[in-house]
Amino acid sequence: MVKLIAKPPLETGLLFEAGGARLLAVDTGRLTSIAPYAGQADAVSQVLLSEHGLVFPAPGRVSHSEAARCVWWGRAQAMLAGPEPAAGLGACAALTDQSDGWAMLVLEGAGARAVLSRLTPLDIRARVFPAGHTARTELAHMMASVTCAGPDRFELLVMRSMAQTAWHALETAVKSIAAQG
């Protein structure tokens, strides 16, 4: 019988640094898609607040607590990152474990915005896309979620099957920015 071995899409801790930008592969942890049932958005918000200390995020925003974050994921959808969802959420929303479907890359440093500006159509200038903002967008021709997690820190979620390609595109862009510096 064949024994399957679970492997991450990228080795956690994989690191590349150049030109004021740092690229890092990190463990996504648990990711759960939350889609409130019709008329249940308020109930979802109440459970998120009471059980996780989060609010259901407004479009293009992220909600944080010490142990979790809730990222806007599309119309009436969010992605809960961190803990297992509270039991009460299942009564008012469709919950789907997405943990094995996504890979997370972190791009940070003074050159991070310059790198991303080469790979996404988003206007990622600090005054337009500050910390706490998120978008589902294209990243080097791949679907991605781009979240600004700090002044010069971005969390990038890409489909697991595209993790190596995303890493290569980001590493190439980091090298290009570094060569111009």
Side-chain angles (χ1 to χ4, degrees):
M1 176 183 271
V2 175
K3 289 190 178 200
L4 300 177
I5 300 170
K7 292 177 65 175
L10 294 166
E11 290 302 317
T12 301
L14 186 61
L15 172 70
F16 179 77
E17 235 176 321
R22 178 181 157 174
L23 180 60
L24 180 67
V26 297
D27 182 8
T28 61
R30 184 177 177 96
L31 296 173
T32 306
S33 171
I34 303 172
Y37 296 134
Q40 295 294 308
D42 288 341
V44 168
S45 291
Q46 290 173 0
V47 173
L48 280 172
L49 187 58
S50 66
E51 298 295 325
H52 296 295
L54 300 165
V55 295
F56 195 85
R61 300 295 186 268
V62 179
S63 173
H64 292 274
S65 72
E66 280 191 33
R69 71 181 191 287
C70 200
V71 179
W72 175 81
W73 204 249
R75 185 174 184 266
Q77 293 182 352
M79 187 72 76
L80 177 64
E84 183 160 338
L89 278 174
C92 50
L95 305 177
T96 309
D97 185 357
Q98 299 282 323
S99 306
D100 63 351
W102 297 90
M104 183 180 282
L105 305 172
V106 171
L107 179 64
E108 59 188 4
R113 288 185 192 270
V115 169
L116 277 181
S117 69
R118 291 176 169 257
L119 301 174
T120 182
L122 288 176
D123 184 350
I124 48 120
R125 292 175 293 173
R127 66 180 169 81
V128 178
F129 200 74
H133 284 225
T134 189
R136 295 288 302 273
T137 188
E138 176 185 320
L139 178 75
H141 306 292
M142 294 169 272
M143 183 183 75
S145 171
V146 176
T147 301
C148 185
D152 293 313
R153 180 182 169 90
F154 295 88
E155 295 173 347
L156 313 167
L157 279 169
V158 297
M159 287 185 278
R160 177 187 180 95
S161 62
M162 296 292 179
Q164 294 286 339
T165 303
W167 180 273
H168 175 74
L170 285 158
E171 184 179 335
T172 300
V174 167
K175 287 177 183 175
S176 177
I177 294 297
Q180 291 177 8

